[in-house]
Amino acid sequence: MAETEDFLVRELHPVDDDIFKEPMRKRRRSDRDQRFRAFPSVEQSALKEYEKLESRTRRVLSNTYQKLIQSVFLDDSIPNSVKYLINRLLALIEKPSLDPIYIGLFGSTGAGKSSLINAIIQQAMFLPVSGESICTSCIVQVSSGCCEQYEAKIHLLSDQEWKEELKNLTTLLHRTEELGGEEEDAWDRGDAVEEAVWKLQKFYGNGAEGKSYEELLRAKPRGKIPTSRVISLKAEETIDKCSVIWVISDIERISGGRAHEDLLNESMKACQRGFCRDLALVVTKTDKLHLPEYLRERKVGNQAIQSQREAVLERNEMIKLQRNKILKDKLKRKLPADSRVLEASELVYTVSAQEYWQRALLTQEETEIPKLREYIRRRLLDKKKRMVTKYVTEAFGLLLLTDSFSCTDHMQNEHLHMSGLRRFVEEKIQLLEKAIDQCFAHIARPLQEGIWNARSSYRRILGACLVRSRGNQGFHQTLKAVCLKNGIYASRTLARIDLNEALTQPIYEQIDPIFGCIFSRSGKPADGSALIPHIDAFKLSLQEKMTEIGIRNGLKYDSYKKSFLIQEISAILGGLEEHILRKKRKIYESLTTSVQNDLKPCYEEAAQITGKKACERMKDALRRGVDRQVAEGMFERAQERMQHQFQQLKNGITEKVKGSIATMLTLASSPGDGLYKELADVKSEYKEMEKLHRSLREVAENAVLRRGMQDFLLRMSPSKAGPPKT
């Protein structure tokens, strides 16, 4: 909400009358129709009606804003109530039509992300896809830190350093070819070889892995190398912006693969700390199946399989059942019981983008692409409906109060007696502070138990992180990268390493369930552990008090103020919920961030170690450094920092409530305070806004009716024939 001082420095925003001329209307209608073309006609009609409501509301607000500006433009002093109204009007006029819905698709290279997107949007080649090369870039490391924006500086090797690296890569590849299979296993070089091939192909192109060192020295690199030898990348870390996350894994990697498991774990953390509410595993390329092998491994006693199609459908259904149970069990251990994702009927989808286009084995419905598309459409439609309903309701409240301000004949006699309400609000704020303290107190014991567990297990955890399965062959470079990056290293081929996260994992295992409850919408009513219900109760008590005062006074224009104040309470506390969700990520990550900061000198010391037995010496330095920090209270400091973050959140909540409610209550103060002034006549705008507000219900009823008719017609229509059996 805008501060009253902002009005004095903001540039006035006159409304351009041209935007309402007929040619522009036609052009906007055409653009709108294009944007809605992915929706069925029933949903298109609903979206158009909601957009029309929103557009007309913005026009009413803009006209009202202009009238208010003109009525106070030459005044030396502007009453606070008028400043408040003008700023609220401007904030609503400038409010985005619809915040983006971020759906994150995370998966390994070649998992089928681009093909899936192309199929969902029904554009076969919107994103380039290929079975032989990486066509769309992706973020390799999916994790978060405490900064709003991340900057990565990639320091490229010098010519001499690259020559040494190139020699090592080619030696590794050629020696692997010379060694027998048995000896190759003993060297445990699989990951290193794959990494070497990838590097050479990226730098010199396909086939580079088969060339000699001398040939590659003469070859021209594929990309341009900057003269500074530094590449800077800046971006927001994206997973915490997503309200929906789909982890993508192809059918051949779903059993035994680690990548999708790591991504699912990171996605569950995003549900804990960010805005994510829905999570699913999307298994791609499910048309792939070797029938003889499947029949051989299939359990005896099942119904006989007659075709490839039947085998694919049976296998896909089995995977869905198995993976759905595994994923739901994991989510139950990590998230509060009332989490929206736990209510989902489906957590796993088995899709085939290729069959969506070809339909050789499966119908389009059986590829489950339409199911994902329908999910997106429904989510967008629901969000648009909620946004427009809230927008029109807020606008109506503002126009209602603005119109009441213009009725000066009644101002002196009809007003709310606010002294009792102010005392009531102060008492309720004190009760809210106590409720927040009690809410946050629920995490104290699990946090303490987690600290004890971390102290008793940190050596074992650190040792496991520093162990390479077969010696230190090549691991010293990985370990150096870990130290240079303050304990974190992500690779295309190796499992992600995060020493800070590993050391704090025993703490998170203890606090995750209660942390989720604190920031859930409902939590357990009996123990009062959930924060948002306390704020909802505070809001309800204020609204009930306003209604009581309105009924007791029984005055027409005071009822206008009452309705407006009730609505403003919802707007203020609704914005508070968004503030809480943004802060919870910083609170959740405070443990890992604290440990990382304390261990930074330790990482820096280890990163400087070179020479003989560098790997073992780095490990020793890390062990000594962690031992020293633990002895000096590293985990206890992390505990204090998390508790400090909770305290800061409490202070922020109460300050926002006190400031916003106090400003709002000035609108209902007595005329003797000099807050009222005769304003421009906005009766026509109020009447139009009243009609728009009434039409909200009609639009919602129309949408339900159309949806019912569409469902009826779909049930009555003949089912689509499937593809021929093979």
Side-chain angles (χ1 to χ4, degrees), residues 23-279:
M24 180 63 77
R25 280 181 177 170
K26 289 181 179 178
R27 187 159 62 248
R28 284 185 169 184
R29 186 157 50 246
S30 174
D31 293 342
R32 184 175 62 211
D33 292 344
Q34 284 294 313
R35 287 192 291 113
F36 296 155
R37 69 184 184 275
F39 291 83
S41 58
V42 169
E43 294 175 357
Q44 284 190 31
S45 299
L47 283 167
K48 289 174 184 176
E49 286 189 341
Y50 280 117
E51 287 231 329
K52 185 178 179 181
L53 262 180
E54 180 191 349
S55 176
R56 290 175 62 187
T57 299
R58 287 186 189 275
R59 180 169 60 183
V60 172
L61 291 173
S62 297
N63 291 342
T64 306
Y65 176 76
Q66 279 197 91
K67 284 188 174 183
L68 290 185
I69 289 294
Q70 291 168 2
S71 68
V72 301
F73 190 71
L74 297 178
D75 288 5
D76 293 331
S77 62
I78 302 171
N80 287 337
S81 56
V82 178
K83 290 180 186 178
Y84 187 93
L85 284 174
I86 289 176
N87 279 322
R88 288 290 283 120
L89 283 167
L90 186 56
L92 276 179
I93 292 168
E94 294 179 340
K95 190 174 183 178
S97 178
L98 185 67
D99 292 331
I101 298 175
Y102 292 98
I103 300 179
L105 276 68
F106 300 105
S108 302
T109 300
K113 298 181 293 294
S114 299
S115 298
L116 177 61
I117 292 173
N118 290 344
I120 289 175
I121 66 174
Q122 301 188 86
Q123 298 288 324
M125 293 305 293
F126 180 75
L127 293 176
V129 294
S130 170
E132 298 180 356
S133 61
I134 303 167
C135 298
T136 44
S137 60
C138 64
I139 298 173
V140 174
Q141 180 180 338
V142 185
S143 60
S144 293
C146 58
C147 302
E148 293 299 323
Q149 187 157 50
Y150 300 88
E151 179 176 5
K153 288 188 176 180
I154 302 173
H155 295 267
L156 304 181
L157 300 176
S158 66
D159 287 338
Q160 185 58 38
E161 288 171 329
W162 173 245
K163 288 179 181 178
E164 292 177 6
E165 175 72 4
L166 182 60
K167 195 165 197 175
N168 291 334
L169 294 174
T170 52
T171 300
L172 173 65
L173 290 176
H174 296 151
R175 184 170 183 181
T176 301
E177 292 174 359
E178 295 167 2
L179 292 171
E182 182 181 344
E183 210 171 345
E184 181 183 344
D185 289 339
W187 278 89
D188 192 23
R189 291 169 172 247
D191 289 339
V193 168
E194 186 178 346
E195 186 88 10
V197 171
W198 182 80
K199 285 181 180 179
L200 293 179
Q201 288 179 344
K202 278 295 177 185
F203 201 71
Y204 295 110
N206 290 338
E209 69 276 14
K211 296 181 179 179
S212 67
Y213 169 68
E214 291 75 16
E215 289 174 319
L216 291 175
L217 277 180
R218 296 191 295 269
K220 186 177 180 181
R222 294 176 64 188
K224 186 178 180 181
I225 301 174
T227 54
S228 65
R229 298 288 175 138
V230 176
I231 300 173
S232 294
L233 303 174
K234 291 184 179 180
E236 297 181 6
E237 185 51 282
T238 52
I239 192 170
D240 286 328
K241 293 171 67 175
C242 299
S243 56
V244 180
I245 293 177
W246 292 344
V247 173
I248 315 298
S249 177
D250 71 57
I251 191 72
E252 294 176 344
R253 301 182 192 177
I254 198 66
S255 298
R258 280 295 312 164
H260 69 276
E261 294 292 342
D262 292 338
L263 291 170
L264 281 171
N265 289 334
E266 285 294 333
S267 300
M268 283 187 271
K269 291 175 190 173
C271 290
Q272 283 279 39
R273 70 187 172 223
F275 291 88
C276 183
R277 293 292 177 270
D278 280 340
L279 171 65

Side-chain angles (χ1 to χ4, degrees), residues 55 100 179 326 345 366 493 673:
S55 176
L179 292 171
I326 292 171
S345 58
E366 288 167 342
T493 56
D673 292 343

Side-chain angles (χ1 to χ4, degrees), residues 292-320:
E293 181 181 351
Y294 178 74
L295 293 175
R296 184 173 63 251
E297 296 179 355
R298 185 169 174 259
K299 290 183 179 179
V300 180
N302 292 345
Q303 185 179 352
I305 291 292
Q306 302 295 327
S307 66
Q308 179 91 2
R309 165 185 162 78
E310 289 181 3
V312 167
L313 290 174
E314 182 186 75
R315 188 272 318 272
N316 291 353
E317 184 62 25
M318 182 177 62
I319 286 177
K320 288 183 71 170

